Amino acid sequence: MTSNITVKRRVFRAVILIITPIIISFLALAIGRIEIPVGDVFNILIGRTEGIANVSVMTVKIFRLPRIILALLVGAGLSVAGCAFQGLFANPLATPDTLGVASGASFGAALAILLGAGPVTIQVCSFLMGIAAVVLTVLCGRTGGRNMTMIILSGIMIGSLFSALISFVKFVADSESQLPAITYWLMGSLASTDSKSLLIGAPPILIGIIILFIIRWRMNLLPLTEDEIKSSGTNVLLLRGITVLSATMITASAVSMCGQVGWVGLLVPHMVRMRVGANFKDVVACSISVGAVFLVIVDTVARSLTAAEIPISILTAIIGAPFFIYLMRRRGGFVG
Amino acid sequence: MILKAENLTFAYKGGNNVFEDVSLTVENGDVLAILGPNGAGKTTLLKSILGILPVKSGSVTLDNVDVRKIPEKELFKRISYVPQAKNTTASYSVLDTVLIGLAAELSVFKAPGEKEIARAKEVLDELNIGHLIDKRCNRISGGELQMVLIARALISDPEILILDEPESNLDFKNQLIVLDTLTRLSKRGIACIFNTHYPSHALQRANKAAILSNHHVLFGETEKTVTEERIEEAFGVKAVVDELEFEDKKIKSVIPIELINR
């Protein structure tokens, strides 16, 4: 927030941040291997389906709508979780996976696939294992709750432990059916979403986003020294605890629904900071919108570009990396 | 307002006492300088007074109420802490940094609004750094950043300001700016407690002084505390305390002469 930004400009920005994801989602509903006129999409959404081909109705309602809602949630969620971890560790390179949550969740899913579980079990197992990984990280790195470097180190250890366990699961998996399923799952895809998986997975993401959105101004305290946080009358452990819990819930649930979607949590907060500065009040709000839009666009490209769908983690990096480098060079460096 | 530390003893877990039986008193408008060699525990003492490090024994009271019994939100509205400029993460704008000082005042769900921004501008103008308001903290000088951190501490309108080596790492001019600020604030009735490496600064600016040496503290009026003998005892340096006269001002100064082998 700078002093010369007028109230008018703030309102204008808020409107843009709310409207853009809606417009992009609406267009994404129309785009795909089956093209559906925008007018038809609108009619399908408001329930006027007479005269519209059944295939179009099914495509929009059963396939594209849940998938786009998932993309919105995961994009917004991972971006906010990235902001939270970057603040928490006062480190611009922190990602939602710094505490090992994504590795843990991936292991949970791989294990469930190995054991022949159904989609719901895979999702739940993945979510719980993601949370378990973070609990383990915090327990191992806790030194009276003071040293964040210990927590990061512990996160790296737990992350690599779970990565090794994933490799082990792959090693013992049946190479004809289970191994490809695990590998494909790990690359990340939003394709398997339906309303049932959304019903289980959306609440943790939504709750996490809402909590972090509410405390976004106070998140400005996160990168400060412990003495500074304490002398601001804030309970350090509580602030850090709420942040870790919310960001972990978001990430674990996102990974449990669509695998590891890398890059978003790193890329989006940095893009936003280059534009609006380092104040979390603005960064969190903008990251929600930009992250949501980013992932909807990437996923729409992923499912429309070729007949065989490209895994989303490949595309986030292919689209993200050059765009990020372009932004970084144009704006003359990132805002830490 | 009266802040009293009584018989404070502090030790890190499993270690020896850093200091023992420290007692001192600060009232409105006092400037207290805490002196001592590197590693004597000056910062530890400050943090113990502030209540962010738990002491082994003794107590700190604010208006006769134990600070541990005052809710943190209330306590840190009355006492503000200014860390060393080099220890803080600084990519926020100056305005945002100053507004962080209101964290104790605002509820968890609230962010600063127009009223708070106006207050921040007022504080920045008061410290003559109003022109920095939109600058990023990592694009300003060390001296400016120290002033911004003082502004952050002042925005909550505290009765006591606790500063950790506010003038170290600063050049000649910026040291003077920071010290002048302390003098001005004390005239407004704010009590200032600061750590310093410079006995001269204590003599010139503080009416009270505490010298840490050999785990103990000598506390009292500066002129009686910061003497040639005490400096020799605490720092192992033979020094001369001298008084210069310039126009109608008398300025005390400490000149180091030689190391004492002990």
Side-chain angles (χ1 to χ4, degrees), chain A residues 234-305:
Chain A
T234 306
N235 185 327
V236 183
L237 224 56
L238 191 67
L239 179 68
R240 287 181 178 164
I242 290 176
T243 309
V244 169
L245 187 73
S246 309
T248 301
M249 266 187 348
I250 293 172
T251 314
S253 187
V255 176
S256 78
M257 282 193 285
C258 51
Q260 291 209 25
V261 183
W263 264 88
V264 182
L266 184 67
L267 183 84
V268 173
H270 279 299
M271 271 176 5
V272 168
R273 268 188 215 108
M274 286 175 205
R275 196 73 223 157
V276 301
N279 191 334
F280 280 88
K281 184 169 174 262
D282 302 323
V283 176
V284 168
C286 295
S287 289
I288 291 176
S289 175
V290 174
V293 168
F294 179 77
L295 208 62
V296 170
I297 292 176
V298 172
D299 183 53
T300 307
V301 173
R303 66 180 163 79
S304 319
L305 210 56

Side-chain angles (χ1 to χ4, degrees), chain B residues 38-107:
Chain B
N38 284 333
K42 297 189 296 291
T43 303
T44 309
L45 176 58
L46 272 194
K47 288 181 186 172
S48 304
I49 297 172
L50 199 58
I52 55 181
L53 275 181
V55 287
K56 193 167 149 188
S57 62
S59 67
V60 180
T61 57
L62 183 57
D63 291 334
N64 295 320
V65 182
D66 193 322
V67 291
R68 282 169 296 191
K69 290 189 180 132
I70 304 175
E72 281 182 347
K73 277 199 167 264
E74 197 185 309
L75 179 68
F76 290 117
K77 247 186 260 176
R78 300 182 66 186
I79 304 181
S80 278
Y81 171 63
V82 183
Q84 275 188 55
K86 61 173 183 173
N87 287 346
T88 193
T89 317
S91 56
Y92 299 128
S93 75
V94 166
L95 175 64
D96 290 336
T97 303
V98 174
L99 288 172
I100 287 174
L102 289 169
E105 215 158 287
L106 296 170
S107 81

Side-chain angles (χ1 to χ4, degrees), chain A residues 32-112:
Chain A
R33 264 165 278 156
I34 301 170
E35 295 268 350
I36 301 164
V38 176
D40 284 0
V41 171
F42 183 74
N43 282 329
I44 293 168
L45 285 182
I46 60 169
R48 271 192 295 184
T49 50
E50 314 100 64
I52 300 172
N54 211 17
V55 182
S56 301
V57 180
M58 294 277 281
T59 307
V60 169
K61 276 194 166 168
I62 296 178
F63 297 108
R64 288 188 193 163
L65 192 59
R67 187 170 175 154
I68 286 166
I69 291 174
L70 180 67
L72 287 169
L73 279 174
V74 170
L78 289 180
S79 305
V80 176
C83 287
F85 283 128
Q86 283 151 23
L88 192 68
F89 300 124
N91 186 336
L93 296 177
T95 67
D97 192 28
T98 305
L99 295 183
V101 51
S103 310
S106 298
F107 169 68
L111 189 67

Side-chain angles (χ1 to χ4, degrees), chain A residues 134-202:
Chain A
V134 172
V135 171
L136 218 62
T137 296
V138 172
L139 286 179
C140 293
R142 202 175 46 161
T143 46
R146 291 182 197 288
N147 196 338
M148 294 309 271
T149 315
M150 284 286 286
I151 301 262
I152 298 181
L153 272 176
S154 156
I156 294 171
M157 295 307 143
I158 298 295
S160 51
L161 173 71
F162 277 105
S163 297
L165 288 175
I166 295 169
S167 298
F168 183 71
V169 169
K170 280 175 160 178
F171 180 69
V172 297
D174 173 48
S175 61
E176 291 297 314
S177 58
Q178 288 171 334
L179 186 58
I182 293 171
T183 311
Y184 189 69
W185 192 95
L186 289 175
M187 283 185 205
S189 167
L190 282 74
S192 57
T193 334
D194 52 26
S195 40
K196 204 162 85 183
S197 74
L198 259 184
L199 220 57
I200 304 170

Side-chain angles (χ1 to χ4, degrees), chain B residues 132-144:
Chain B
L132 297 176
I133 191 157
D134 288 328
K135 290 248 166 72
R136 283 227 309 269
C137 281
N138 48 7
R139 297 273 164 89
I140 59 178
S141 75
E144 287 170 336

